[in-house]
Amino acid sequence: MKQSMKSKGFERRLLLIMWGLFLSLSAFAQQISIKGHVVDAAGEPVIGASVVEESTTNGTITDIDGNFSLKVSPKSMLTVSFIGYATQTVPVNGKTSLTITLKEDTEVLDEVVVIGYGTMKKSDLTGAISSVSSKDLMKQPSPSLGAALQGRATGLQVISSGAPGDNVSMKIRGIGSINNSDPLLVIDGVPTDVPLNMINMDDVETVDVLKDASATAIYGSRGAYGVIIITTKKGKSDAAHFNFKASYGIEKAIRTLDLLDATQFASLHNEMMTANGQPQNPLFEDPTSLGRGTNWTDELFQTAAIQNYSLNYSGGNDKTTYYVSAAYFNQEGIVRTTQYERYTVQFNMDTQMNNWLKMGNKLSLNHDIKKKGEYSIKNTMLALPTQAIKNDDGSWAGPVGLPMYVGDIANPIGKMMTNSTATKGFNILGNIYAEVKPWEWLTFKTIVGVQALFWDDKGWSPKYDWQPISQPESYASRKYNKSLTLLWDNTLTFNKTFAEKHQLTVMVGSSAQSNTYEYLGGSIMGFISPTAQQLDNGTLEPTVNGNGSDWALLSYLGRINYTYDNKYLLTATIRRDGSSRFSKKNRWSNFPSVSLAWRLSEEPFFKKSFWLSDVKLRAGYGLTGNQASVGNYAYASTIQTIQYNFNGTQVNAIAPSVMPNPNVRWEEVEQYNVGADLTMIDGRINLSLDAYIKNTNDMLVDMVVPISTGYSDINVPKINAGKMRNKGFEVSVSSRNLVGEFSWNTSLNASYNKNEIIRLNGDVPMYFDNNIHAVGHPVSSFYGYVTNGIFQTQEEVDRYAIQTQGNDPYNRTSAGDIKFKDLNNDGIINDKDRTYLGSPTPTWIFSMNNSFAWKGFDLEIFLQGAAGNKIYNANRASLEAMSVAQNQMTTVLDRWRGEGTSNSMPRAVFGDPNKNGRVSNRFIEDGKYLRLKNVTLGYTLPAAWSKKAAMSSVRFFVSGQNLLTLTRYTGLDPEISGSGNDNNVYPIARNITFGASVSF
């Protein structure tokens, strides 16, 4: 019986195996081998086209002759796609041979670029413009739009700030002036000065960066240093779409500096005091008994959370489209007590009222909260490890004793945790427009825009009695700000083609914009209770202050675009601006530009080939202006209220604060640009090259005002007496390395810029911080002494040029001090021996992005960097000073202790009699770096799975930012803005983010 059952079980398994083989053979028998040929509209083979059997992973790509072969089901559908062509789905219908003709995708080939008061096909551009799409932006979960733009466009330098809510620093084609040289920001047609972190990045459709004068001259007096145009998303006339995206991440400091522990510091301090003939701290008699002590930076930095949630709803029909979104963003800082929260709402709508009238609006509402606390990264690092953070009773501790022993830094953690500062903002940015089109070739558009910014600052500091300086009374402050900007633009555009070869577009228009700013503030001391922080509750020393200003700009503009036979292109613009910032005789100015392009590849003599299929050459020239560096009333005499003693009585009076300059006028930027756009390797590689010279004429510099005039010789007016030059080139390459089921795309950007000051107000340099503006050198160059090793013996000191002389062995240059070069060979080291030590501005900025896709997986690896600049490590200047009671870095453990012990790190000596810490190349470091800026891995669920859950798309991703930085710089982070001084700069953080996006 058992044998019979086993026999039957075997027979069942055998039948199942045979049935499986039958089904497999049947399926195999149903497949056919098919050969095909893919060509374009001209009959030329399309190389690398993707051919995939629909709803399967079975596919291939075409060879160099456009041929392919594939085994498929006879009733299957083939999906054929290639970049630049419309995707086609072709039925097999049992055929074994197919010829497939791909049609050009006009949406791809004629990508539209926003150029200011209009749009243009990318193929028709004659100027230097870079575009960044929402697809590129969405690949990384950056904390702000500005940070996401870093490395995405040639010529655009973006320097991020690690502090939550801080705006990025942006420059286009170098620093154009010693004054404000930031680019103009235009959002949905409204020129604005809102920070980029106000914008929800998921609402952005495109970012267009206008770089040369032929592109920016349409913005006249505000286009001198480039224009960044941001366009938000619109709805589409199809089914409604609902999208939700959520992400959560953690951030940590990329690095912290190694500081001395209590034992090491006590030993250093004993040595420092002995070298200056001072008595040692009795508490440091046995340094080893102090152990490791307090690690202050552990209490300063934290692992922080960052989260972002956004949803949008869009859709429409052939008459009306809409886009509505809401988002919440919350970023804690890696420094405790710092935080940024943002709430945004976007509402965009377009309605075709009838066949000649279209109306719409774009509206953005924003509320943000920025908390800072009173932190100091530098003071926290300098705090002594021998001091406690809190007393035994839990109160905040303070250094108690002589400053020479305990220093003069108040408890930095206590101040950070008890003092608070916060800014709350309520912002509105938007426009409404009407577009009238009486004929197909004529369009009139009017747009009314508004920017309303309201923000208030709140500060609170409770009383405390910590050493070394107590605060006997609590202090509160408030400041309320209001800025209202109104805009009214009108344009009339004529667009017509004549005789099939002549395409002409003419635009004329006007623009009027005005701004009013007001603030009111107050402060008071003497609060009975720390819980009652309203100004009414204070009792001592109340203050009140307030002020306001306004400006207005009226403009007339025009542009002509002409194309002949799709080969020769001309763009000419003119703008006439009148600004309230200038006197009547200098109020108006004209800003013209012209650019040409030649599509060489459309000439009969040009033979298109696999290697080179499209060539366009460009050249342009233009004049733009800058008024951002001019005060609202620079041409007039501003006054202030003062008090003075008259016969023993305090008398109020009004006096001028700054000498007026009725001759002040625009800074004018003259720019030349040549470029070329090439398409190679059968469309797989696109290359753009640009070279430029940008001269800033009539640059505003400080006027020399003799005190005998009665005006201030410190607060002086600006005069148009300077000149600056930037010249460089840009290279942008995009390539499709692999196509098909596994794809790999690469983009590479590199920009070189050389900056030089040509003229100032006379030959006298302008000194500030550790920098100098001087003719023949880059802006903000470092200026100081040059080191020449360490004195090893007193005899060597006596033979060298005099540095600090004297008979007191404790207060003169001695063995172990730094030797500074006697550059003028006069035997004395003084200010005349200072020289130029490098530029803080990079000459090179570069990036590379690689995108991979396989089935549902996508991977992006983004590298970004800069080179050619120097950084003044001001933190090191304090943390390697070894001259006062402040903690130091562990690098001082290699300090000079006797002949031959060191030739780079000087001795430790209280008071630093030789001024070893003076500005010199000792603290100037190489600022170049290469950063693994972003790595994102995503997975999109198969469409069939999503449909079962009533969703159209589901994607999960994990992303890491600032994962690795290759640099020789020894500070916290090499990404330093401004004049290149790393002094208490909030460092960039490393973060890991997890997220998901869902579409319905």
Side-chain angles (χ1 to χ4, degrees):
M1 182 69 178
K2 291 181 179 180
Q3 183 68 28
S4 174
M5 291 179 66
K6 289 181 179 180
S7 176
K8 289 181 179 181
F10 173 77
E11 290 173 357
R12 290 193 190 98
R13 288 192 293 270
L14 182 61
L15 285 171
L16 286 172
I17 293 171
M18 294 177 66
W19 178 249
L21 288 172
F22 173 75
L23 290 177
S24 300
L25 290 171
S26 298
F28 182 79
Q30 289 174 3
Q31 285 193 326
I32 60 174
S33 294
I34 186 173
K35 293 184 178 180
H37 187 51
V38 180
V39 296
D40 60 16
E44 296 294 325
V46 178
I47 305 169
S50 172
V51 183
V52 179
E53 185 178 5
E54 194 174 57
S55 300
T56 72
T57 59
N58 180 33
T60 186
I61 60 173
T62 56
D63 62 19
I64 195 169
D65 296 316
N67 298 322
F68 71 91
S69 61
L70 194 65
K71 289 185 176 182
V72 299
S73 170
K75 295 183 179 181
S76 64
M77 305 284 286
L78 297 183
T79 301
V80 185
S81 61
F82 189 72
I83 293 178
Y85 295 88
T87 299
Q88 291 195 35
T89 302
V90 181
V92 175
N93 292 334
K95 298 177 182 177
T96 58
S97 179
L98 288 174
T99 298
I100 303 168
T101 302
L102 294 182
K103 297 179 180 179
E104 292 181 344
D105 188 339
T106 56
E107 184 178 349
V108 173
L109 297 179
D110 295 339
E111 179 184 344
V112 173
V113 175
V114 180
I115 57 173
Y117 305 98
T119 59
M120 182 180 288
K121 293 188 299 183
K122 190 172 183 179
S123 58
D124 289 342
L125 290 177
T126 58
I129 299 177
S130 295
S131 297
V132 183
S133 68
S134 60
K135 181 180 178 181
D136 295 324
L137 296 173
M138 291 301 102
K139 290 178 180 177
Q140 53 179 330
S142 295
S144 72
L145 175 60
L149 288 175
Q150 191 171 41
R152 298 292 178 175
T154 57
L156 175 63
Q157 181 190 13
V158 178
I159 299 178
S160 299
S161 170
D166 276 8
N167 199 20
V168 297
S169 169
M170 294 190 295
K171 294 291 182 287
I172 295 177
R173 292 187 166 180
I175 297 175
S177 172
I178 62 174
N179 307 294
N180 186 342
S181 60
D182 294 339
L184 173 67
L185 183 63
V186 179
I187 301 178
D188 289 330
V190 179
T192 178
D193 56 2
V194 300
L196 284 178
N197 55 24
M198 168 184 157
I199 303 168
N200 174 24
M201 201 161 62
D202 290 339
D203 291 335
V204 176
E205 182 67 30
T206 60
V207 178
D208 296 290
V209 182
L210 282 56
K211 296 179 288 188
D212 72 332
S214 68
T216 63
I218 198 66
Y219 287 102
S221 62
R222 292 185 290 183
Y225 305 119
V227 180
I228 297 176
I229 301 178
I230 297 172
T231 304
T232 58
K233 293 178 179 178
K234 299 191 298 184
K236 297 181 180 179
S237 56
D238 55 8
H241 299 276
F242 180 85
N243 302 288
F244 176 73
K245 182 178 179 181
S247 65
Y248 182 90
I250 55 173
E251 296 185 312
K252 294 188 68 174
I254 291 178
R255 64 174 302 194
T256 56
L257 302 183
D258 294 327
L259 304 173
L260 299 180
D261 61 27
T263 296
Q264 293 167 331
F265 172 76
S267 298
L268 169 73
H269 192 270
N270 288 341
E271 185 179 324
M272 185 174 68
M273 301 303 288
T274 300
N276 192 246
Q278 302 285 342
Q280 295 181 358
N281 187 344
L283 298 178
F284 295 168
E285 183 177 357
D286 179 14
T288 58
S289 66
L290 300 174
R292 298 194 60 83
T294 301
N295 188 323
W296 291 84
T297 56
D298 280 353
E299 299 299 319
L300 174 75
F301 293 114
Q302 66 176 350
T303 299
I306 180 172
Q307 49 190 316
N308 193 10
Y309 308 94
S310 68
L311 57 89
N312 63 72
Y313 182 67
S314 64
N317 52 39
D318 58 350
K319 292 290 185 181
T320 300
T321 61
Y322 55 86
Y323 175 89
V324 183
S325 75
Y328 171 73
F329 175 78
N330 188 337
Q331 181 184 16
E332 296 177 351
I334 58 173
V335 172
R336 299 179 195 274
T337 74
T338 61
Q339 184 184 21
Y340 181 68
E341 279 187 281
R342 183 188 66 216
Y343 305 82
T344 58
V345 174
Q346 185 79 32
F347 178 63
N348 298 344
M349 187 172 69
D350 299 279
T351 300
Q352 190 71 49
M353 307 295 292
N354 51 46
N355 60 358
W356 57 268
L357 176 61
K358 183 179 181 180
M359 299 183 69
N361 72 271
K362 292 192 174 183
L363 178 65
S364 175
L365 306 177
N366 168 281
H367 169 50
D368 57 358
I369 305 168
K370 184 177 179 181
K371 298 178 181 179
K372 296 181 181 178
E374 188 179 336
Y375 67 89
S376 172
I377 296 173
K378 184 176 180 180
N379 282 352
T380 304
M381 293 189 293
L382 292 173
L384 300 187
T386 54
Q387 300 287 338
I389 296 177
K390 287 189 174 183
N391 297 311
D392 293 339
D393 61 1
S395 61
W396 297 107
V400 179
L402 296 174
M404 61 189 289
Y405 292 152
V406 300
D408 59 357
I409 296 176
N411 189 323
I413 302 301
K415 295 184 71 172
M416 178 182 71
M417 300 303 292
T418 58
N419 299 343
S420 64
T421 58
T423 300
K424 292 184 179 180
F426 301 87
N427 310 303
I428 301 171
L429 180 67
N431 69 71
I432 57 173
Y433 77 89
E435 192 174 279
V436 179
K437 201 167 189 178
W439 297 282
E440 187 64 28
W441 44 268
L442 188 66
T443 304
F444 172 75
K445 184 175 182 178
T446 184
I447 178 172
V448 176
V450 62
Q451 171 191 289
L453 309 179
F454 308 90
W455 70 102
D456 60 82
D457 303 304
K458 177 181 179 181
W460 169 256
S461 177
K463 60 182 179 181
Y464 56 83
D465 58 358
W466 322 329
Q467 298 296 325
I469 301 174
S470 63
Q471 181 169 299
E473 296 294 342
S474 300
Y475 172 85
S477 64
R478 302 286 190 278
K479 185 178 179 181
Y480 298 91
N481 306 265
K482 179 180 70 176
S483 177
L484 179 63
T485 304
L486 301 175
L487 172 76
W488 186 26
D489 286 347
N490 297 279
T491 57
L492 183 66
T493 304
F494 170 90
N495 187 358
K496 202 172 182 69
T497 300
F498 301 94
E500 297 184 354
K501 291 187 177 183
H502 303 270
Q503 183 178 348
L504 178 66
T505 302
V506 180
M507 183 274 293
V508 294
S510 66
S511 177
Q513 191 170 15
S514 65
N515 170 268
T516 301
Y517 168 72
E518 295 177 349
Y519 78 87
L520 179 66
S523 65
I524 198 167
M525 301 173 66
F527 290 80
I528 297 175
S529 170
T531 60
Q533 300 179 11
Q534 297 301 318
L535 296 185
D536 279 349
N537 296 319
T539 60
L540 301 174
E541 300 183 24
T543 68
V544 63
N545 56 79
N547 211 326
S549 63
D550 55 19
W551 57 263
L553 184 69
L554 178 62
S555 309
Y556 303 98
L557 49 117
R559 178 172 56 221
I560 295 175
N561 297 104
Y562 171 71
T563 302
Y564 173 72
D565 200 20
N566 203 33
K567 289 187 291 187
Y568 312 111
L569 302 96
L570 164 72
T571 299
T573 66
I574 182 71
R575 178 161 176 148
R576 181 170 174 79
D577 278 344
S579 173
S580 65
R581 288 187 169 105
F582 304 99
S583 64
K584 290 183 178 180
K585 67 177 181 180
N586 290 320
R587 184 156 294 171
W588 291 90
S589 191
N590 299 322
F591 302 97
S593 76
V594 62
S595 56
L596 303 168
W598 177 24
R599 192 169 285 117
L600 181 65
S601 52
E602 296 299 317
E603 295 288 357
F605 59 78
F606 186 92
K607 294 184 178 180
K608 295 183 180 182
S609 67
F610 171 83
W611 301 105
L612 187 62
S613 57
D614 189 76
V615 178
K616 182 172 70 174
L617 306 178
R618 297 177 279 106
Y621 167 82
L623 294 176
T624 49
N626 176 38
Q627 59 169 329
S629 300
V630 182
N632 289 344
Y633 312 106
Y635 68 91
S637 180
T638 56
I639 57 176
Q640 60 181 340
T641 301
I642 63 172
Q643 290 184 333
Y644 68 96
N645 189 294
F646 182 74
N647 290 335
T649 304
Q650 287 288 109
V651 178
N652 295 326
I654 293 177
S657 56
V658 180
M659 175 184 283
N661 177 16
N663 297 315
V664 67
R665 59 187 184 275
W666 328 80
E667 288 184 336
E668 185 181 80
V669 175
E670 172 189 50
Q671 190 169 178
Y672 304 83
N673 191 94
V674 293
D677 303 316
L678 298 90
T679 301
M680 301 176 289
I681 318 296
D682 199 35
R684 285 184 175 242
I685 296 179
N686 292 296
L687 171 66
S688 288
L689 305 168
D690 278 280
Y692 60 89
I693 297 176
K694 183 169 70 173
N695 296 318
T696 302
N697 303 315
D698 296 330
M699 184 174 66
L700 291 165
V701 297
D702 290 342
M703 178 181 179
V704 178
V705 178
I707 195 171
S708 59
T709 62
Y711 289 96
S712 170
D713 61 342
I714 299 175
N715 298 320
V716 298
K718 301 282 188 179
I719 60 173
N720 300 91
K723 182 176 181 178
M724 184 179 293
R725 174 174 296 151
N726 285 275
K727 55 184 179 181
F729 59 85
E730 301 159 353
V731 180
S732 176
V733 182
S734 63
S735 66
R736 293 178 297 105
N737 308 314
L738 294 174
V739 294
E741 187 177 28
F742 178 78
S743 65
W744 171 26
N745 298 325
T746 299
S747 62
L748 174 68
N749 292 328
S751 305
Y752 171 82
N753 183 80
K754 181 182 179 182
N755 174 274
E756 182 183 1
I757 295 176
I758 305 299
R759 185 174 64 248
L760 290 172
N761 185 16
D763 297 328
V764 180
M766 300 171 63
Y767 300 92
F768 64 101
D769 298 330
N770 307 309
N771 308 78
I772 184 175
H773 296 320
V775 173
H777 296 275
V779 64
S780 302
S781 292
F782 294 116
Y783 193 72
Y785 296 88
V786 180
T787 59
N788 193 26
I790 301 288
F791 290 114
Q792 299 298 324
T793 64
Q794 189 60 41
E795 290 76 14
E796 188 179 357
V797 174
D798 296 337
R799 292 194 305 266
Y800 202 73
I802 297 172
Q803 296 190 166
T804 301
Q805 60 182 343
N807 296 323
D808 184 352
Y810 299 116
N811 290 287
R812 68 181 184 188
T813 303
S814 302
D817 285 328
I818 292 177
K819 289 190 291 185
F820 296 99
K821 287 187 177 181
D822 183 13
L823 297 181
N824 63 353
N825 296 313
D826 64 354
I828 301 174
I829 305 300
N830 53 27
D831 287 351
K832 296 179 181 179
D833 294 299
R834 293 182 297 171
T835 188
Y836 300 93
L837 302 176
S839 168
T841 306
T843 52
W844 286 96
I845 54 175
F846 43 82
S847 66
M848 183 174 69
N849 187 67
N850 284 283
S851 299
F852 305 88
W854 178 69
K855 295 186 177 180
F857 291 94
D858 60 90
L859 173 67
E860 172 165 302
I861 302 175
F862 182 50
L863 300 169
Q864 172 269 330
N869 64 303
K870 301 293 185 181
I871 298 173
Y872 182 79
N873 195 336
N875 290 330
R876 248 188 70 210
S878 298
L879 291 165
E880 291 181 354
M882 298 178 290
S883 61
V884 292
Q886 295 177 346
N887 200 13
Q888 307 286 280
M889 293 194 300
T890 55
T891 51
V892 303
L893 296 175
D894 296 325
R895 62 187 176 273
W896 188 91
R897 288 188 172 92
E899 184 177 357
T901 55
S902 175
N903 200 38
S904 58
M905 185 66 68
R907 64 177 178 145
V909 54
F910 186 81
D912 189 15
N914 187 56
K915 297 182 176 60
N916 292 324
R918 70 184 77 182
V919 178
S920 70
N921 66 331
R922 175 186 174 192
F923 306 115
I924 301 291
E925 299 188 36
D926 191 345
K928 67 172 173 283
Y929 70 92
L930 176 64
R931 173 168 283 158
L932 183 56
K933 189 69 178 178
N934 179 68
V935 176
T936 299
L937 175 64
Y939 178 69
T940 302
L941 295 181
W945 294 11
S946 301
K947 289 180 180 178
K948 289 181 180 179
M951 294 180 286
S952 58
S953 175
V954 179
R955 178 176 179 264
F956 300 95
F957 65 88
V958 57
S959 178
Q961 291 191 304
N962 307 315
L963 297 178
L964 176 67
T965 302
L966 302 178
T967 182
R968 295 178 180 174
Y969 182 60
T970 62
L972 292 173
D973 190 78
E975 199 168 330
I976 307 295
S977 63
S979 56
N981 290 281
D982 186 4
N983 186 17
N984 208 28
V985 175
Y986 200 117
I988 302 294
R990 176 185 294 121
N991 72 53
I992 302 294
T993 302
F994 301 87
S997 58
V998 181
S999 299
F1000 297 90

